[in-house]
Amino acid sequence: MGPPEEESGLNFAGNSDSFLQDYSWHDSVSDANLVDGFPNPFDQFKGVGARTAFFLPLHYEANYAYPLLIWLHNDGFNENQITQVMPHISLRNYVGVGVRASCATDSSGHRYEWRTRPGAIQTAYENVMQAIDEASERFSVNASRIVLAGYQSGGAMAMRIALRDPKRFAGVVSLGGRMPSGCRALSNLSDLRERRLPMLWQWATENSLFDSSELDEDMRRAMMIRAQLEIRQYCDDDEMNTVALADINQWIMDKVVSGTSGSSSSDRWASSPTQFSSN
């Protein structure tokens, strides 16, 4: 597979092990691009028990408190997906950490999936909390700017964890993952309504998993908790494309870093119209 065009889409249906090394942006980052003493963001920073993988921004500055982006992979992949998606979100703006799902799906231990049994949800929550603690101990991160993001089943789990502990997170992003239901997903309704959690949902309208009636149902449930919801739709068959990932960066910059997503807004229900990206 050769280097993609600037606006080419990403596809994680194949072998993820070779994805990173084939991309031209990886080849363009060399020691000459880095100031002495700064880590290369493409180096592997593994977490405790190898359940997490970190991605540091180019020219990491220890005296600056970075937003922390937590990435939950889709089923069939692992925490190293963070190194594939972060360069398309931003090479400079965030400390990133990928968290591995708790259930292995192959004997070699390279592929994992998110399950929605109570025990698996609790494990996922604890792993995310541990990743936050570890990132805070090892790197310079802003505790008030922690964003959960995930792809497909990882997006649904990101929302489930954010709904469980809404005051811990500055926002949550889901690429092709439905708003969770069951297992007391909305049990702390009063906290959720007070927090008015910022959410970005991204859907590819040509994806076989996309269903407009299900989206309407999820929107009604988001309205019930008074979430600050933005929905972006893409004329594509997969949400994992470079336009959608760049939109994540813009949304975080606008809603989290600039402080426009604060829960003190007087709007009872803040949302933006469903829109198509200029893909």
Side-chain angles (χ1 to χ4, degrees), residues 91-114:
L91 280 169
R92 299 180 180 274
N93 291 340
Y94 314 99
V95 170
V97 54
V99 178
R100 179 190 300 176
S102 57
C103 301
T105 60
D106 66 344
S107 59
S108 61
H110 294 302
R111 301 178 185 275
Y112 297 82
E113 68 179 15
W114 305 97

Side-chain angles (χ1 to χ4, degrees), residues 55-263:
F55 183 95
L56 294 189
L58 278 174
H59 308 304
Y60 170 78
E61 174 54 64
N63 294 323
Y64 173 74
Y66 288 88
L68 177 63
L69 180 59
I70 302 170
W71 181 265
L72 306 187
H73 60 85
N74 58 320
D75 287 347
F77 290 84
N78 59 47
E79 71 280 4
N80 293 316
Q81 195 176 78
I82 186 74
T83 64
Q84 302 171 343
V85 300
M86 281 302 297
H88 296 281
I89 297 174
S90 174
L91 280 169
R92 299 180 180 274
N93 291 340
Y94 314 99
V95 170
V97 54
V99 178
R100 179 190 300 176
S102 57
C103 301
T105 60
D106 66 344
S107 59
S108 61
H110 294 302
R111 301 178 185 275
Y112 297 82
E113 68 179 15
W114 305 97
R115 296 181 182 174
T116 54
R117 296 193 301 265
I121 294 170
Q122 178 63 25
T123 298
Y125 174 81
E126 292 174 356
N127 288 347
V128 167
M129 294 303 110
Q130 180 178 336
I132 293 173
D133 291 343
E134 188 176 357
S136 300
E137 292 173 0
R138 297 179 64 179
F139 309 113
S140 178
V141 299
N142 189 328
S144 66
R145 294 177 175 177
I146 301 175
V147 177
L148 264 172
Y151 176 40
Q152 294 181 351
S153 57
M157 183 59 73
M159 285 195 286
R160 185 180 291 276
I161 292 172
L163 293 173
R164 177 173 178 171
D165 197 357
K167 295 182 180 179
R168 188 70 181 268
F169 301 101
V172 58
V173 180
S174 174
L175 290 83
R178 289 199 62 191
M179 189 167 179
S181 61
C183 292
R184 299 174 57 83
L186 303 180
S187 59
N188 55 342
L189 186 58
S190 60
D191 286 346
L192 287 168
R193 286 179 169 176
E194 178 184 358
R195 171 67 182 95
R196 302 188 63 248
L197 185 68
M199 291 182 168
L200 172 63
W201 297 353
Q202 297 173 292
W203 279 101
T205 57
E206 297 176 18
N207 191 327
S208 61
L209 298 177
F210 175 74
D211 186 317
S212 60
S213 62
E214 291 180 347
L215 179 58
D216 290 342
E217 178 184 342
D218 288 351
M219 289 173 61
R220 288 192 292 270
R221 296 171 63 225
M223 185 178 296
M224 181 180 66
I225 65 172
R226 301 176 184 170
Q228 300 179 69
L229 175 62
E230 181 169 338
I231 299 172
R232 298 190 182 182
Q233 298 183 349
Y234 304 85
C235 296
D236 203 341
D237 60 0
D238 197 327
E239 296 79 18
M240 186 58 70
N241 60 65
T242 55
V243 175
L245 292 177
D247 283 349
I248 293 175
N249 175 61
Q250 189 62 55
W251 183 82
I252 295 175
M253 289 292 106
D254 291 344
K255 300 296 184 181
V256 175
V257 175
S258 69
T260 60
S261 65
S263 59

